[in-house]
Each structure stands twice: as structure tokens, then as C-alpha cells.
Amino acid sequence: DAMVIQNPRYQVTQFGKPVTLSCSQTLNHNVMYWYQQKSSQAPKLLFHYYDKDFNNEADTPDNFQSRRPNTSFCFLDIRSPGLGDAAMYLCATSRGGTVSQETQYFGPGTRLLVL
Amino acid sequence: AQKVTQAQTEISVVEKEDVTLDCVYETRDTTYYLFWYKQPPSGELVFLIRRNSFDEQNEISGRYSWNFQKSTSSFNFTITASQVVDSAVYFCALMGGYNFNKFYFGSGTKLNVKP
């Protein structure tokens, strides 16, 4: 059973047209993350939510925003996608409890194409 | 500073061969955690193992084994009798003991297992 779900799996958008990617989880984890992964590169953390607390990485462009309306859902909004934003976007969750048990679990990703 | 190095960009083996994927890390934290993830062509990062810095016991899970050596700051991953289904990109990651919402990923090693 899927525990971290991402929709859609593939998204095509036009240059400059806002797009929203969604992530949901059935693990009841406190922490949700968004990563950007470009071809042949490691995932790059954009931001994460610890419960309702939003934590942005210093080098994440303002063009990327996120919302977490409840424990189960988290959204990634790209306000004005550029060609350079074409990538795989990965959502992950972690329990957010004791450090010694902390592990991130990833969804299948959404591959974004910008035309 | 936290850093993970996977020097092998790509490895090709023939089915049934054993293969070792190298991971070297840098951290100043006295407590830290190391991970291996598998990313098949479908894109999802699949969690394989977590190892705590205070537990240097090697681990075996079926055809997979992990060799953790603090003396050389390495956490290597060996696949015994490789199979075509093992073809994927493998990422090693480091999480510090104090900032447990931050993963530092290596650049990944692409493993090609040929029949």
C-alpha cells in the first residue's frame, strides 16, 4: 500500500504558468519534505514542514512556495515556472520523533516538464 | 561541514557478479546517521538501511550487506550475486545528530547489471 502518494506522476506546464504538485501521506508523520532532483543529480532539499512550522532552505528560490493544510497533505507551488525548473519533484516524510529513529520515506515523485 | 562522497559515478557488472558501492562521509558531529537509498528508473527513492554512528556492526540482509568503518569514515554497500533488478541509482546519505531534518546526499552511483 502506498504510504507517500504524489499526484500527478507527470505534469506538463507552460513557461510562466503556475503549477501545483501535491503530496499526501498515510503514515501520520509530523515532517514533510520537498526535494528537487535534476537529471543525474542528488535530490536537493527545497523546504520542509515540521507539523505546521515551515522551514525554507536558504537557497530555495522565491518562485517555490509550499502549503500544508493538514497533517496528511502538502503542496508545492511553482509560481512562474522557468525552463530550469523542469525536474523530478520528490516528496518525503519522516516521523519527527527521536533522532535515533528518524528516517525519510519518499513518494514516487512528479516529473515536471516546462514547455 | 557535512559531506558525502560517492566516487563511483557508474558501475557495470554482469549478472551474478558481486559489486561494492563506496560511500565516504565527513562530519564533525559525534552522533550521526547514515543511510542507503535505491532509486530505480521509476524514480522513487526506496529506503534500504539506516546505521547509527555508535553501532559499527556490519549488517546483512539477503544479498545486501553493509560495511561501516568509522576509522575510514566509510559506509560501503555490497550486493552479492547481482541481478538485473538491482539496476538503479544508489544514494548514500548522512544525517547529523542535531539537525535531523537535513539529509546530505552523495551524488549517487548508477549500477548497471547486465544479463
Side-chain angles (χ1 to χ4, degrees):
Chain A
D1 293 334
M3 295 179 289
V4 183
I5 303 161
Q6 291 190 245
N7 287 306
R9 294 294 308 276
Y10 298 90
Q11 176 74 55
V12 181
T13 190
Q14 293 179 338
F15 183 93
K17 184 175 181 181
V19 66
T20 295
L21 309 181
S22 73
C23 177
S24 63
Q25 51 125 345
T26 59
L27 298 164
N28 203 32
H29 282 174
N30 290 319
V31 192
M32 295 187 76
Y33 308 79
W34 280 105
Y35 288 86
Q36 179 192 64
Q37 186 181 25
K38 296 189 176 181
S39 182
S40 301
Q41 295 183 19
K44 178 181 179 299
L45 182 63
L46 296 173
F47 27 58
H48 75 273
Y49 272 96
Y50 194 117
D51 197 9
K52 296 180 181 179
D53 293 331
F54 178 70
N55 298 271
N56 198 30
E57 292 298 299
D59 57 354
T60 297
D62 293 339
N63 197 28
F64 292 87
Q65 304 285 320
S66 186
R67 297 169 284 133
R68 189 178 185 187
N70 54 53
T71 300
S72 300
F73 285 86
C74 194
F75 300 98
L76 170 62
D77 300 310
I78 308 177
R79 293 193 295 186
S80 181
L83 298 179
D85 296 328
M88 172 76 91
Y89 290 88
L90 295 163
C91 175
T93 73
S94 67
R95 187 185 302 271
T98 54
V99 175
S100 62
Q101 297 174 353
E102 196 70 355
T103 298
Q104 292 189 20
Y105 297 93
F106 286 80
T110 294
R111 193 172 295 278
L112 178 68
L113 180 62
V114 182
L115 301 178
Chain B
Q2 319 270 27
K3 184 179 179 182
V4 175
T5 300
Q6 294 180 255
Q8 304 151 308
T9 304
E10 187 166 354
I11 301 174
S12 292
V13 299
V14 176
E15 207 170 18
K16 298 185 182 178
E17 286 184 1
D18 299 346
V19 59
T20 295
L21 309 182
D22 297 333
C23 173
V24 174
Y25 62 92
E26 297 175 29
T27 181
R28 292 183 180 177
D29 290 354
T30 54
T31 300
Y32 52 90
Y33 305 85
L34 296 163
F35 302 78
W36 276 97
Y37 285 85
K38 173 183 180 180
Q39 188 174 40
S42 59
E44 179 177 358
L45 270 91
V46 179
F47 166 70
L48 296 178
I49 189 172
R50 179 186 66 237
R51 174 60 69 208
N52 304 332
S53 57
F54 45 85
D55 181 4
E56 286 193 73
Q57 275 194 339
N58 293 327
E59 183 157 340
I60 298 175
S61 176
R63 296 184 297 108
Y64 295 172
S65 61
W66 291 269
N67 183 0
F68 177 32
Q69 291 194 337
K70 290 179 77 171
S71 60
T72 56
S73 298
S74 65
F75 185 42
N76 296 337
F77 173 29
T78 297
I79 302 175
T80 303
S82 60
Q83 299 176 1
V84 172
V85 293
D86 296 327
S87 297
V89 179
Y90 291 85
F91 288 97
C92 180
L94 167 71
M95 181 182 79
Y98 301 101
N99 186 0
F100 60 89
N101 295 135
K102 180 79 173 182
F103 269 33
Y104 296 85
F105 282 93
S107 54
T109 297
K110 184 176 182 181
L111 175 64
N112 301 307
V113 182
K114 302 175 182 178

